[in-house]
Amino acid sequence: MFLAMDTVFDQCSIAILDASGQVLSSRTETGKRQQTQQILPMIDAALSEAELRLADVEALIFNRGPGAFSGIRINTAVVQALSVAHDLPCVGVSSLQAIAQQAYQQYGLTQVYSALDARMQQVYFGQYAIKDSDKAGNQSGNQLDRAIMQPVLINESESTEQLLDYDSQTAVNLPIVGNGATLLTLHDEQVCYEDVWPDAVVIGQLGIAQFMNSGGTDAANALPKYLRNQAWKTLKEQGKA
């Protein structure tokens, strides 16, 4: 069993999934003002609904960012605390990969750019393409045997995750998904999907596939990814006020 959580996408979302990717419990509360008060009771409620204890969980999966600074801090801190208290491994999932995976599930897109509004006249940006997670060709019907969106690498070790200025243009004419899509300059006939918004279920499915492939990490290495070094800037400096 796996416990997944997200507080990065202006929501508090919790999901419990089994190793096949089947959802045992899922709940999402929109808005970000009450996340610190919501997350632990929501975890307790999800475990109760699934008739599980934290001792039954194989790993903790969380949205490691990039995205909202406070949201990243909340779910990272909760995962680290639960990991230490219950000796559980952690798996961090990219928010941009989750957006791409949601676009695949929602629209069947197999190659996309993910764009998440980063404020301060920039977007968080990455390129993703489908990769079959079932390397053995298993036809068992396991939900995680389906295709997984993976980052397109600049080189063997560096992904395309980066900050782009508003009005930048993508290298090629692929669909752009996420709430930062229309903040970029589009090619002729380039398609945008702004309504792609993953929840903890998608975070969990990606995390399980990652865990099965490479395992998890301890709490000390369950680290956020901000992309922006000055994530601590005030709302006014970020252009939010």
Side-chain angles (χ1 to χ4, degrees), residues 102-211:
Q102 179 66 31
Y104 167 70
Q105 295 182 13
Q106 190 171 337
Y107 292 109
L109 302 175
T110 57
Q111 296 187 68
V112 300
Y113 293 114
S114 289
L116 181 63
D117 188 4
R119 312 294 183 179
M120 297 176 65
Q121 303 298 305
Q122 291 181 311
V123 299
Y124 301 115
F125 178 85
Q127 183 179 351
Y128 299 85
I130 225 60
K131 181 180 180 182
D132 191 349
S133 66
D134 182 15
K135 298 176 182 177
N138 188 343
Q139 301 299 317
S140 65
N142 185 322
Q143 286 197 34
L144 295 178
D145 289 347
R146 63 187 165 193
I148 295 291
M149 281 287 202
Q150 299 286 6
V152 174
L153 301 182
I154 297 173
N155 53 48
E156 290 186 0
S157 61
E158 185 180 1
S159 79
T160 59
E161 289 192 3
Q162 59 186 290
L163 279 164
L164 284 185
D165 293 334
Y166 285 0
D167 300 324
S168 297
Q169 191 172 55
T170 59
V172 296
N173 188 352
L174 292 176
I176 310 177
V177 298
N179 71 350
T182 58
L183 301 173
L184 301 173
T185 297
L186 303 180
H187 295 277
D188 291 342
E189 300 183 359
Q190 189 167 19
V191 180
C192 293
Y193 298 86
E194 295 180 86
D195 63 337
V196 175
W197 209 244
D199 60 10
V201 171
V202 174
I203 298 291
Q205 290 166 345
L206 289 173
I208 293 169
Q210 184 176 320
F211 182 80

Side-chain angles (χ1 to χ4, degrees), residues 29-122:
E29 297 288 342
T30 58
K32 58 184 179 180
R33 297 298 181 187
Q34 303 298 320
Q35 290 170 324
T36 53
Q37 289 78 30
Q38 291 171 329
I39 187 166
L40 291 177
M42 287 177 66
I43 289 172
D44 287 341
L47 288 168
S48 178
E49 181 180 7
E51 299 182 344
L52 296 172
R53 301 168 301 153
L54 274 171
D56 301 316
V57 171
E58 182 79 10
L60 304 167
I61 301 168
F62 70 106
N63 185 342
R64 57 129 171 103
F69 180 54
S70 60
I72 295 173
R73 286 193 303 174
I74 291 167
N75 67 188
T76 302
V78 169
V79 161
Q80 290 174 334
L82 294 178
S83 173
V84 170
H86 298 275
D87 193 26
L88 295 171
C90 309
V91 181
V93 171
S94 163
S95 59
L96 295 172
Q97 184 185 14
I99 291 171
Q101 187 69 20
Q102 179 66 31
Y104 167 70
Q105 295 182 13
Q106 190 171 337
Y107 292 109
L109 302 175
T110 57
Q111 296 187 68
V112 300
Y113 293 114
S114 289
L116 181 63
D117 188 4
R119 312 294 183 179
M120 297 176 65
Q121 303 298 305
Q122 291 181 311

